[in-house]
Structure formats: C-alpha cells, structure tokens
Amino acid sequence: METYSLRSGTTPLFVSLPHDGTAVPDDLAMRMTGEARRVPDTDWHVARLYAFARELGASIIVPEYSRYVVDLNRPPDDTSLYPGQNTTGLCPIVQFSGQPVYLPGQEPSHDEVVRRVERYWRPYHAALAAEIERVKSMHGHAVLWEGHSIRSVVPFLFDGRLPDINLGTSSGASCSAGLQQRLTRVLESQSDYSFILNGRFKGGYITRHYGRPADGVQAVQLELAQLNYMDEDSFAYAEGNAATLQRVIRALLEACLN
C-alpha cells in the first residue's frame, strides 16, 4: 500500500490532512489493545470534509496509515510540542483517553520507531516539501492548510470542552498578520460555532516547521471539534451538520486565496 495520496492543484493553496489515515499493518495490530485497533484518535472524515477544496484548485495530501503507526505531525526526534502538558508522541503508546495503545510488553523499540519514521514519516514530508516548492514556483508563494479534528472533550489532554473551531498560527509566527486577520474576520462573521485563535492548539510540527512567511510559505492549522459533523461515539458522519460546517471551512480557505 502507498503511504499517502497527493493530488496537485492549480492555486497557491495546499491542504494537508496528516491524521486522516486509518490503516494499521497486521503485525502491528496484533500487538495493540482491542480499543486501539479501532484507531479512535483518527481525525475522522476530514478528507471528506475537505473534498470540496479541489473545486478551489487546492493541492491535497492524505496519508493511508493511522497516527498510531507514526504521527506525521510530530518532529522526527519526538520533542514535545507542548512541554509540561499531556500529549502523545511520534509513535504513540497512549491513546487520547490515557489508555495504552499496546498490550503489555508490546510497545515499539527505539529501532522500530526509527524504521517507521523512514517508512511512513519521511515520504509524507518529502512530498509536502516538494509540493510546497512546486506551488511556490508557480505562484511565488504557498499557503499550507493543516486540517485536523478531535473529540470535543478529552480530559487527558485539556480541561473542559474545546471550542468548535481552533485556529493555530504558532502565535502568529507561521503566517502573515494580514492572513490571520482575514481568517479571524471570517469566524467573527458567523454565529454557528465558537472559536479561538492560538488556544490549546497553536499548530503542530507541520505548521511550525513549514510556516515561514518571510520565505513565501504561510501555514495555518484548523482543529475542529468532531461533534459538529459526526457522532463522536460511533464515528458516523453527519451529512447535514457537516454541510453547515463546510460553509465556514470554505470561507476560511477562500480567505487564504484573497
């Protein structure tokens, strides 16, 4: 199986969905707990939510494999993105629930983590970097949009209920002030969803690493509370709710092209 799919577009917008994958190799699944085999911490259905981005001429990259195999939005040396806070790592051994991913004694060794980085992490990031350069060469700049989602309540990671829409720009470092202002205006103009800028989710490794406005690459992370477009227990997609949310996402992506 290929480790990712990439569709190149015609505009400066590039959508990355690094936690959409659900595949787990059979030999790895055998070492996981029954709950972890459901890959509950997937950013469920984000590729479906963002499918309309092709109409905007966006490039889109989507992985095949679960974040439990390797987390594409973590640095390859596994440095914590949120020091002092609970989080999950490059090859997670704990779920967002705080429960283990692996059966006792079945956690990956250092050498196994290195192999997973080479097999799954590096190809995705090589493709990211190459597509960013292609887009920049065509348009003189690129806007990398990181699409994510998460359960609305995850006590292991944060207190209380998340806002519906969580924008991250690495505290303004990963995109221009102008783009951040346009995105904020879009959210202020709607009343269906609560939102926050640079709250619990300021942007993961991809946003922080690739977002370099001075070099012509802007990056933004959008973390969505899943209850707005799906059932968080069954993981079922809610078509009507999703369509309402997609209108806001579309407005945000269009603001990136202005």
Side-chain angles (χ1 to χ4, degrees), residues 49-111:
L49 268 182
Y50 280 92
F52 74 86
R54 292 195 293 270
E55 301 169 12
L56 302 179
S59 299
I60 304 178
I61 186 169
V62 184
E64 296 291 339
Y65 286 87
S66 167
R67 69 190 305 158
Y68 285 170
V69 178
V70 70
D71 192 326
L72 301 168
N73 202 29
R74 297 292 186 273
D77 63 1
D78 206 15
T79 300
S80 177
L81 296 171
Y82 297 98
Q85 301 182 51
N86 282 345
T87 186
T88 55
L90 178 63
C91 290
I93 61 172
V94 63
Q95 303 173 53
F96 289 172
S97 65
Q99 296 302 306
V101 171
Y102 294 93
L103 298 168
Q106 296 298 314
E107 298 85 356
S109 66
H110 171 75
D111 288 347

Side-chain angles (χ1 to χ4, degrees), residues 216-229:
V217 181
Q218 304 189 74
V220 177
Q221 177 174 302
L222 176 60
E223 188 87 45
L224 300 167
Q226 291 176 340
L227 85 171
N228 290 298
Y229 70 91

Side-chain angles (χ1 to χ4, degrees), residues 40-253:
D41 301 332
T42 300
D43 290 12
W44 292 103
H45 308 297
V46 289
R48 186 171 179 179
L49 268 182
Y50 280 92
F52 74 86
R54 292 195 293 270
E55 301 169 12
L56 302 179
S59 299
I60 304 178
I61 186 169
V62 184
E64 296 291 339
Y65 286 87
S66 167
R67 69 190 305 158
Y68 285 170
V69 178
V70 70
D71 192 326
L72 301 168
N73 202 29
R74 297 292 186 273
D77 63 1
D78 206 15
T79 300
S80 177
L81 296 171
Y82 297 98
Q85 301 182 51
N86 282 345
T87 186
T88 55
L90 178 63
C91 290
I93 61 172
V94 63
Q95 303 173 53
F96 289 172
S97 65
Q99 296 302 306
V101 171
Y102 294 93
L103 298 168
Q106 296 298 314
E107 298 85 356
S109 66
H110 171 75
D111 288 347
E112 181 180 350
V113 171
V114 170
R115 289 194 296 272
R116 291 194 207 175
V117 168
E118 293 300 319
R119 174 70 177 90
Y120 304 100
W121 192 97
R122 295 203 186 281
Y124 191 87
H125 282 267
L128 262 181
E131 185 65 8
I132 288 170
E133 287 305 310
R134 186 193 72 83
V135 170
K136 274 184 63 180
S137 69
M138 286 182 63
H139 304 284
H141 69 285
V143 180
L144 178 61
W145 188 271
E146 275 286 291
H148 294 262
S149 74
I150 191 170
R151 290 180 69 95
S152 56
V153 177
V154 186
F156 180 70
L157 297 181
F158 49 80
D159 295 330
R161 183 191 180 284
L162 271 179
D164 298 320
I165 294 175
N166 303 265
L167 273 181
T169 65
S170 190
S171 298
S174 67
C175 75
S176 69
L179 177 55
Q180 183 169 288
Q181 289 166 2
R182 293 197 302 275
L183 296 172
T184 301
R185 285 197 294 269
V186 168
L187 295 178
E188 290 174 341
S189 70
Q190 59 80 44
S191 59
D192 291 321
Y193 305 103
S194 60
F195 68 92
I196 193 169
L197 174 65
N198 290 314
R200 173 62 178 83
F201 298 97
K202 300 179 187 299
Y205 174 77
I206 292 174
T207 299
R208 302 184 198 190
H209 180 73
Y210 294 99
R212 298 179 180 176
D215 296 331
V217 181
Q218 304 189 74
V220 177
Q221 177 174 302
L222 176 60
E223 188 87 45
L224 300 167
Q226 291 176 340
L227 85 171
N228 290 298
Y229 70 91
M230 60 174 273
D231 182 278
E232 293 184 330
D233 295 321
S234 69
F235 311 143
Y237 192 72
E239 188 73 52
N241 292 345
T244 302
L245 182 58
Q246 282 176 310
R247 288 195 286 271
V248 177
I249 301 172
R250 178 184 283 268
L252 289 167
L253 295 188

Side-chain angles (χ1 to χ4, degrees), residues 1-5 21-26 62-66 69 119-120 123:
M1 183 185 293
E2 294 294 330
T3 60
Y4 66 87
S5 62
T22 58
V24 177
D26 290 343
V62 184
E64 296 291 339
Y65 286 87
S66 167
V69 178
R119 174 70 177 90
Y120 304 100

